[in-house]
Amino acid sequence: MCNLRSFFTPLLAVLLLQSLVVVVSAQGSASTWQTLTGNRPVVIARGGFSGLFPDSSSVAFQFATLTSLPDVVLWCDVQLTKDGVGICAPDLRLDNSTSIAQVMKNKDKLYLVNGIPTRGWFTVDFTLNELSLVFLTQGIYSRSERFDYSYPIQTVEDVANLKPPGLWLNIQHDAFFTQHNLSMRSYVLSLYRRVVINHLSSPEAGFLRSIVKRFNLNITKLVFRFLEPNVIEPSTNETYGSLSKNFTFIKTFASGILIPKSYIWPLDASNYLQPHTSIVSDAHKAGLEVFVSEFYNDVPLSYNYSYDPVTEYLRFVDNGEFSVDGVLSDFPVTPSATIDCFSGLGKNATPQVNLSVISKNGASGDYPGCTDLAYQKAILDGADVIDCPVQISKDGIPFCLGSINLYESTTVAQSSYSNREQNIPQIKAGRGIFTFSLTWSEIQNLSPVITNPYSKYELLRNPKFRISGKFLTLSDFLALAKNTSSLSGVLISIENAAYLIEKEGLPVTDKVLDVLSKAGYDDPTSKKVMIESTNSSVLMKFRDKNNYELVYRIEEDIQDAEDAALKDIKDFANSVVISKASVFPESSLFLTGVTNVVPKLQSHGLSVYVETFSNEFVSQAWDFFSDSTVEINSYVMGANISGVITEFPLTSARYKRNRCLGKELPSYMSPAQPGGLMQLISLFALPPAEPPNPVLTATDVKEGPLPSHTASPPPVPGGGATAGPPGAPNGLPKIGACIFLSNLAMLITILLLL
C-alpha cells in the first residue's frame, strides 16, 4: 500500500490535524455513573470520525483520537481481501465507500449475502495489492464529498499502528467469508497474537462461541451485536428480539451486547419517544455491558430531542435511571463533550461564561413563534432575554409576531380574510395579508403556525404542536416577563415603522413607549429593556430612555465596517446584532476565515450579539460537525461575542453552564479553527472562491427621522397598495458570503517538513 500519494496525503493531514485542535486531558464528569462497572461510558468512533471524513480513512481515525475523550475506542468493520488480509471498510461491497467502480470497471459480481442476491464490488474478489489503486469516498451522500479520493484503504494493522487508546473490531459476515474459502476465525486468532484487541463484536453467535475460549477475556471483551428484532440470527435460528430476552445464554460467550437505540428508547409512528424499555437494567443484572449503536448527528432525530444531539446522548447516559456503557458514533466529539462536560449538569449550575441567551420569537424551534407556548418554553429552557417582534393591528394594538405578513406564521391563508391580500414592496416582495389589515380580534381568530425553515430537507419541527398556542399582545408579553424571576430582560424589535406611521397612520414607536411605561418598565429597577431595529431612526426615538439598551441590527452579511459607520452607530445604539456569516464567512459550508467585525464593534464600545442559531444540522458549516453546541462554542470562545439569538434557547443556556468551560479547554470543547478544514481538502476538490461581503459604510447607517404621526390616510381603492421598490434596511446589497483566508505560515511549515 505504499505509493507517493498514499504517503504524502496522510502525512499532510496529520500535520494539519494537530494544528486544528488543542489536546487536553478530560476534566472529569460530576456524574455518578449508572453503568455496569461504575465507570463513565466509553466513546466508540465508528470508522473514526466518519461523519465528516470517508469511513475508515487514516484522517478519520486520527481526527477521532484528537477530538474525543482520551480513552476513545476506534471501530473497524473488518473485511477480508482475496489474499486473506484484513481491511477496515464499512461493508462487504466497496462500491459505496471507495473509487473501485471507476478503477475496476466491469468487475462487479453477484453473490448471496445472508440469502439475498447482492451485486457489487466485493472485497473477496481483490487482493490487497489491487486495492492499493483504490481510494476512499464518503458513503453517505448528504455528507461532504470534498475529502474523497485522497486516502487509501487501511488494513487492520495500519489502524493498530496508530496506537489508539482502544481498538474495536466488528466481524459482521463470518458466514459469507467461509463460503469464499476465507476463515475470519483464523485471521482474528492470528491477529490477536500481534495486536491488542480491546473489543470484538459480531452479530453471529456461532462465531463468538467458536473463539471465546481462545481469548483472554480480561484483555478482549467479546460483544454480541443485535440486529433488528425481526431478523433471524443464523446459528440459533432465533430472532434477535427473542435473544434479547435470553441474556443467560448470551453471557456464556459474551461480556456485553451492542444494540440499536430503538431497543432502549422506541419511537412511535410519528417519531416521538415512547417510554424506555428495561433492556439496560436487565442486561446489567445479567452481568452484561450495554453498548448502543446508530448515533449520527446528521440524521433526523426524535422530535423530543429538538435536533440537538447532546440532548439525545444525555437520554442514554444521564437520565437518572440507567446509563449505557458505551455509544457508537460517527461524530465522537459530541458524546465526548456530553459525557465530560454536560452529564450531571443541573439547571442551576453556575454559568461559566458571560453570555446572553436571547430567544428568537421565543423557543420557536419547538412551538409556533411568539406564542404563549414558545415563550414559556424559552423561559423553562433558561433564556436570559425573551423577545417580542412588535406588529400592530388595524385597530392599533401592538402584539408579538415574527413577521408583518400573516401568511408566514398563521393560518390566514385558510381563513375568510383572503380578500385583504395586498402587494406592498416597501415592506416585502410578493403579496401578503398584513397585520395592519386585520383588527386584533380578527387576528385572534387565526391559529399560529410553526415555521419550518428546513422543510426541503424533510426536517420538520414538532409537528404534534404545529398549530398550537395563542398570540400575545405586547402588554401580555411584558407582564409575563415581569413576573418571571429567571429573566434578566426583554428585547422589543420594531421594523417598518416609517411605513406604518406614514401610510397606515399607526405610530408603532409611540405605542411601544406607552405600553412599556404602563407596564412599569420605565422604572430603573425593572428588568432590562432592549429595543432592536434595523433603522437608526427608530432607535433615535428611544434615545432619551437612559435605562434602555438600544440594539442596531445589521441585516446583511458584512466583511468589515468603516470607523465612521461605527461612530455613527455609537451615537444611537449600545449594541449591535450581526449575522453568523459576518463573523465566520464560509464557502460551500466550509469556514474560510474570521472577519474583524466583532473586535472593531467592541473597540467602539458596542456589545455584539449574533443571529440566528438553530439546531438543525443543515444550518451549520461542516466545521461544526453537525453539532449546534460546537457551533455556539466556536462563536463564544473563538469570536468572543456577547450573546446569541436562538430559536432553541435550551442548547445555548446549557452550553454556558458546562463544566469544561471552567478550566483549560479539552479538545472537544475547543472552538473550530476557521479555514482549518479547508486546508485538508485536496486542491482539485476545493470549493470555488466567492466574492467578499460588502463593507458597512456611514452612508448605510445614516437615516432621516421618522415621519410625524398624522391622521390615518384614506384607504386605497380596491384594497391594494403601491409603492416604490424597497431598499435594503441598511442600504447594503444582499450578496453571497465568502472570503478565502489561507494559513500561510502553517503551509510553509508543512513544506519545510516534507
Side-chain angles (χ1 to χ4, degrees), residues 353 632-641 655 661 665 669-671:
V353 291
I632 295 165
N633 182 58
S634 297
Y635 280 87
V636 176
M637 303 305 293
N640 195 32
I641 65 173
Y655 158 76
L661 297 177
L665 294 178
M669 196 49 66
S670 296

Side-chain angles (χ1 to χ4, degrees), residues 468-522:
S468 299
K470 66 178 184 178
F471 303 117
L472 298 183
T473 64
L474 176 59
S475 179
D476 291 336
F477 168 84
L478 293 173
L480 171 66
K482 195 170 187 179
N483 293 324
T484 304
S485 60
S486 63
L487 291 175
S488 63
V490 295
L491 183 147
I492 310 297
S493 178
I494 303 173
E495 299 297 339
N496 305 301
Y499 177 88
L500 291 170
I501 294 170
E502 188 172 23
K503 302 297 184 182
E504 301 297 332
L506 295 169
V508 61
T509 50
D510 292 342
K511 293 280 187 180
V512 170
L513 282 166
D514 182 59
V515 175
L516 281 166
S517 178
K518 290 178 178 178
Y521 279 79
D522 284 345

Side-chain angles (χ1 to χ4, degrees), residues 93-346:
R93 295 172 297 167
L94 295 173
D95 36 306
N96 193 44
S97 59
T98 74
S99 61
I100 196 166
Q102 293 79 43
V103 176
M104 308 286 186
K105 293 182 179 179
N106 302 319
K107 291 192 176 182
D108 55 320
K109 293 186 178 180
L110 182 68
Y111 292 126
L112 286 178
V113 179
N114 295 330
I116 300 173
T118 306
R119 179 171 290 279
W121 282 259
F122 290 82
T123 63
V124 296
D125 293 321
F126 304 96
T127 65
L128 182 63
N129 187 57
E130 290 173 313
L131 292 178
S132 66
L133 303 173
V134 172
F135 289 87
L136 298 169
T137 60
Q138 178 56 260
I140 298 178
Y141 298 129
S142 60
R143 296 174 177 174
S144 176
E145 78 288 352
R146 300 286 178 182
F147 304 105
D148 290 358
Y149 309 112
S150 296
Y151 302 99
I153 292 173
Q154 299 290 291
T155 66
V156 178
E157 285 88 346
D158 288 336
V159 180
N161 288 337
L162 295 174
K163 301 190 183 304
L167 179 62
W168 186 309
L169 302 184
N170 181 58
I171 313 300
Q172 196 76 5
H173 297 286
D174 172 59
F176 177 84
F177 291 113
T178 299
Q179 294 168 11
H180 291 266
N181 299 316
L182 292 169
S183 174
M184 183 63 79
R185 181 178 184 275
S186 297
Y187 169 76
V188 168
L189 292 176
S190 173
L191 181 72
Y192 178 60
R193 292 192 288 268
R194 309 187 307 274
V195 170
V196 176
I197 304 170
N198 302 95
H199 296 79
L200 193 151
S201 62
S202 176
E204 299 179 20
F207 174 74
L208 293 176
R209 295 174 75 185
S210 73
I211 63 172
V212 63
K213 294 183 179 179
R214 302 293 298 273
F215 279 82
N216 182 342
L217 301 182
N218 292 320
I219 297 175
T220 304
K221 295 180 179 180
L222 300 187
V223 179
F224 182 54
R225 185 177 190 181
F226 280 75
L227 303 182
E228 292 305 313
N230 59 343
V231 175
I232 295 176
E233 195 284 318
S235 65
T236 61
N237 204 33
E238 292 187 49
T239 65
Y240 287 96
S242 175
L243 288 171
S244 69
K245 298 175 176 58
N246 192 357
F247 289 144
T248 302
F249 166 67
I250 294 172
K251 182 64 176 172
T252 62
F253 59 86
S255 60
I257 59 173
L258 174 63
I259 55 179
K261 295 184 298 187
S262 58
Y263 273 72
I264 300 174
W265 289 100
L267 302 177
D268 64 18
S270 301
N271 206 33
Y272 287 90
L273 288 178
Q274 295 181 301
H276 67 76
T277 68
S278 63
I279 192 168
V280 176
S281 58
D282 292 343
H284 282 173
K285 288 175 184 177
L288 292 166
E289 290 186 297
V290 180
F291 304 96
V292 188
S293 63
E294 300 182 357
F295 285 98
Y296 318 103
N297 289 6
D298 57 352
V299 171
L301 310 175
S302 165
Y303 295 120
N304 300 78
Y305 301 134
S306 299
Y307 295 100
D308 181 2
V310 172
T311 297
E312 179 183 38
Y313 281 111
L314 287 171
R315 185 78 68 147
F316 287 84
V317 302
D318 185 30
N319 59 45
E321 296 184 46
F322 61 82
S323 174
V324 301
D325 300 275
V327 291
L328 177 62
S329 175
D330 288 20
F331 296 84
V333 65
T334 303
S336 295
T338 302
I339 291 167
D340 192 34
C341 308
F342 295 106
S343 60
L345 197 68

Side-chain angles (χ1 to χ4, degrees), residues 376-434:
Q376 290 163 10
K377 182 69 163 59
I379 293 168
L380 181 66
D381 287 347
D384 300 303
V385 176
I386 56 174
D387 70 306
C388 173
V390 172
Q391 312 301 337
I392 197 160
S393 65
K394 184 177 182 179
D395 50 347
I397 305 297
F399 65 100
C400 304
L401 195 65
S403 174
I404 196 171
N405 187 350
L406 292 167
Y407 277 149
E408 296 182 10
S409 52
T410 76
T411 56
V412 72
Q414 291 80 47
S415 73
S416 59
Y417 305 125
S418 58
N419 61 334
R420 315 229 187 144
E421 187 181 72
Q422 299 181 68
N423 181 28
I424 310 178
Q426 277 178 294
I427 293 179
K428 190 162 288 191
R431 301 190 68 80
I433 298 177
F434 298 95

Side-chain angles (χ1 to χ4, degrees), residues 514-687:
D514 182 59
V515 175
L516 281 166
S517 178
K518 290 178 178 178
Y521 279 79
D522 284 345
D523 185 344
T525 63
S526 185
K527 294 186 184 297
K528 178 173 69 172
V529 175
M530 303 169 71
I531 304 295
E532 179 199 65
S533 182
T534 57
N535 300 111
S536 58
S537 56
V538 169
L539 299 181
M540 293 289 284
K541 287 280 291 185
F542 293 83
R543 193 166 54 169
D544 62 341
K545 297 291 184 180
N546 295 329
N547 57 322
Y548 287 7
E549 179 179 346
L550 305 184
V551 186
Y552 184 55
R553 179 170 171 251
I554 303 173
E555 190 172 25
E556 286 73 31
D557 301 334
I558 60 173
Q559 63 160 317
D560 202 350
E562 293 180 350
D563 285 339
L566 299 180
K567 290 177 182 177
D568 286 344
I569 293 173
K570 185 61 180 174
D571 284 342
F572 60 81
N574 312 104
S575 52
V576 175
V577 172
I578 58 176
S579 67
K580 293 191 293 186
S582 296
V583 182
F584 296 134
E586 60 183 51
S587 176
S588 299
L589 292 178
F590 284 94
L591 300 186
T592 58
V594 57
T595 71
N596 67 347
V597 172
V598 173
K600 283 192 84 169
L601 289 167
Q602 292 173 337
S603 71
H604 283 75
L606 295 162
S607 299
V608 181
Y609 307 112
V610 176
E611 66 174 6
T612 301
F613 288 85
S614 302
N615 282 358
E616 289 93 344
F617 56 88
V618 295
S619 70
Q620 301 148 15
W622 299 115
D623 305 66
F624 303 134
F625 314 137
S626 301
D627 184 340
S628 49
T629 298
V630 174
E631 180 183 42
I632 295 165
N633 182 58
S634 297
Y635 280 87
V636 176
M637 303 305 293
N640 195 32
I641 65 173
S642 304
V644 295
I645 299 176
T646 173
E647 297 171 308
F648 297 88
L650 174 63
T651 306
S652 298
R654 183 185 57 209
Y655 158 76
K656 74 176 189 176
R657 291 174 169 81
N658 89 76
R659 69 177 63 84
C660 291
L661 297 177
K663 303 178 182 179
E664 188 175 4
L665 294 178
S667 59
Y668 37 85
M669 196 49 66
S670 296
Q673 300 299 309
L677 282 184
M678 290 275 282
Q679 297 177 58
L680 294 175
I681 302 174
S682 298
L683 290 176
F684 68 86
L686 282 171

